[in-house]
Amino acid sequence: MLSALTNLQPRQLATQVLNFALILSTAFMLWKGLSVVTDSPSPIVVVLSGSMEPAFYRGDLLFLWNRGLDTQVGEVVVYNVPGKDIPIVHRVVRRFEGGDKPLRLLTKGDNNHADDTELYAVGQYYLNRSTDIIGSVQAYAPFVGYVTILLSEHPWLKTVMLGLMGLVVVLQRE
């Protein structure tokens, strides 16, 4: 396999490397385009815990939409808490204000006994719809996100997978 790589002419090698770069940049542009269309910084998220069972299970891939700001009780939303990097997927159990005043939401996991006030930032008792919510769940694909979970739990797999993808692209003959 390594001999096939060394047998490539410089022009062929450059073409294969550019093809690989094109694949990566296309994926990035699709992600950013999807972010613009959905008005969400993260339009696709993976469920990382069992707090929303039986509605969503660990590894489910969720598709978000953030265009409608009038979130209702019972709607499943994804939010970020300042200081924490992991988005949280929970159901809205209560609404406050709305109309002329900012919409504030209280959330809870379907499989949890208490609401999410302990998950919020210190001194925060509700979520601000316009600043804290990443999006509302519109659709999902069961268990498709397990690949992401494996890659985050075993970082060496990312390196192996990217290396294999790079080798396939470079060694592919046109």
Side-chain angles (χ1 to χ4, degrees), residues 63-137:
F63 300 94
L64 308 181
W65 185 259
N66 199 31
R67 291 281 179 194
L69 296 178
D70 189 32
T71 305
Q72 300 299 318
V73 171
E75 199 170 321
V76 178
V77 296
V78 178
Y79 65 91
N80 266 341
V81 174
K84 297 180 182 175
D85 292 336
I86 299 172
I88 299 171
V89 180
H90 281 172
R91 191 176 305 277
V92 174
V93 293
R94 196 156 174 211
R95 283 172 49 118
F96 303 95
E97 308 297 323
D100 294 339
K101 296 183 180 180
L103 180 58
R104 300 177 300 162
L105 307 168
L106 180 65
T107 57
K108 176 186 172 294
D110 290 356
N111 204 17
N112 294 349
H113 296 292
D115 62 37
D116 291 349
T117 50
E118 290 188 19
L119 297 176
Y120 302 158
V122 176
Q124 184 179 11
Y125 301 104
Y126 55 84
L127 297 172
N128 184 322
R129 174 60 180 96
S130 59
T131 58
D132 296 325
I133 303 295
I134 296 173
S136 298
V137 176

Side-chain angles (χ1 to χ4, degrees), residues 31-48:
W31 179 261
K32 286 301 178 186
L34 197 55
S35 293
V36 169
V37 168
T38 62
D39 195 28
S40 175
S42 187
I44 300 172
V45 296
V46 175
V47 177
L48 299 174

